[in-house]
Amino acid sequence: MANVNEAVVRYLAAWNEREPGRRRELVAKVWSEDGTYVDPAREGRGHDSLDAMIAAAQQHFPGYRLNLASGVEVHHDYVRFSWVAGGTQEAPLYIKGTDFVVMAGDGRMKSVVGFTDAAPAR
């Protein structure tokens, strides 16, 4: 399997990239062509849908950046890691999540399932 740590770094970079062309390039590097993402609030399938999903999340949470908050755990083709966002002056609400990934044979992500570990009350 390709370097999983690099895949996770690219994944977080895709979520943080605000320039549309660069974000789209990162999405293509992170996910396989038929790659998916799902969490309680959003889902995407394929590069166009995933890119649009991330752009919508960025509009909803301006100023937020995802940062790795754990080690990257790997076994077989499965990956787990946690991230945090917010808790800053420009993005005051603190959000923490854990993502579970199935890797494709080419080192990109085939599917990502996200869970929110900590978030403001609704």
Side-chain angles (χ1 to χ4, degrees):
M1 185 183 305
N3 187 324
V4 173
N5 290 325
E6 288 177 14
V8 171
V9 167
R10 282 192 304 269
Y11 171 82
L12 296 172
W15 280 96
N16 291 332
E17 181 58 57
R18 304 289 178 178
E19 196 282 308
R22 179 72 184 125
R23 184 183 57 242
R24 181 66 170 78
E25 288 176 18
L26 285 165
V27 165
K29 289 179 181 178
V30 170
W31 275 279
S32 58
E33 285 79 8
D34 61 345
T36 62
Y37 177 92
V38 64
D39 71 21
R42 63 192 52 83
E43 65 181 280
R45 177 179 297 276
H47 293 169
D48 291 340
S49 176
L50 292 162
D51 181 49
M53 175 196 73
I54 292 171
Q58 290 173 344
Q59 287 181 331
H60 191 251
F61 295 102
Y64 281 78
R65 296 185 55 79
L66 272 62
N67 296 292
L68 190 62
S70 71
V72 176
E73 189 174 0
V74 181
H75 71 80
H76 298 85
D77 293 336
Y78 303 98
V79 180
R80 178 181 72 163
F81 59 91
S82 295
W83 52 265
V84 296
T88 66
Q89 188 167 353
E90 58 209 11
L93 300 177
Y94 176 81
I95 304 169
K96 182 176 188 296
T98 298
D99 289 350
F100 296 88
V101 179
V102 177
M103 298 298 292
D106 64 1
R108 293 185 293 171
M109 297 179 179
K110 180 161 184 58
S111 71
V112 181
V113 178
F115 290 86
T116 304
D117 300 328
R122 293 184 184 220

